[in-house]
Amino acid sequence: MRTRWLAVIGSTLLPQFTSWSVLFVALKGLQHGGHPGSGVTWPESLAAFSFALIVSFIPVTAGGLGTVDAGLTALLTAYGATGSQALAVDILWRATTFVPQVLTGALTFLWWRATARRRRRG
């Protein structure tokens, strides 16, 4: 830790910052994409994202599915987004942060099964 503390902090913060960035870009894309009315600022979106992460620790469903989405959508709406914008942002955020992980996991599982089968034969 004495020599690699910066790498540890960076590897912890970078995924969270990237996830929030996806949420913020989706929010601003909807705001400027012909759907005016979203007055959510970056500090407000960061607060909503942070609250959503805290809610994900409530063990009601896997990954906070449903509870996180309800909390995030409600906060974004309270901060000035329309209900449809907040829901669309939530869906985009979930899709862009979960789908690549699921695909990577599925491909890794298939690769593992194929290599395990080859090892058993050989």
Side-chain angles (χ1 to χ4, degrees), residues 5-68:
W5 65 271
L6 190 58
V8 170
I9 291 173
S11 66
T12 303
L13 292 179
L14 186 61
Q16 299 306 321
F17 178 74
T18 303
S19 185
W20 168 73
S21 297
V22 166
L23 184 135
F24 185 67
V25 167
L27 184 63
K28 289 304 169 183
L30 284 173
Q31 176 183 349
H32 296 297
H35 301 288
S38 176
V40 181
T41 63
W42 73 266
E44 292 169 338
S45 69
L46 184 59
F49 173 77
S50 300
F51 179 75
L53 290 182
I54 291 170
V55 170
S56 71
F57 288 113
I58 300 171
V60 175
T61 59
L65 191 61
T67 54
V68 171

Side-chain angles (χ1 to χ4, degrees), residues 110-122:
L110 293 174
W111 175 78
W112 173 73
R113 292 284 297 207
T115 57
R117 191 174 298 138
R118 273 189 248 134
R119 275 186 262 157
R120 276 184 273 167
R121 284 188 218 156

Side-chain angles (χ1 to χ4, degrees), residues 27 30-31 35-41 44 72-89:
L27 184 63
L30 284 173
Q31 176 183 349
H35 301 288
S38 176
V40 181
T41 63
E44 292 169 338
L72 180 65
T73 302
L75 274 175
L76 289 176
T77 302
Y79 286 137
T82 65
S84 59
Q85 285 175 334
L87 186 58
V89 166

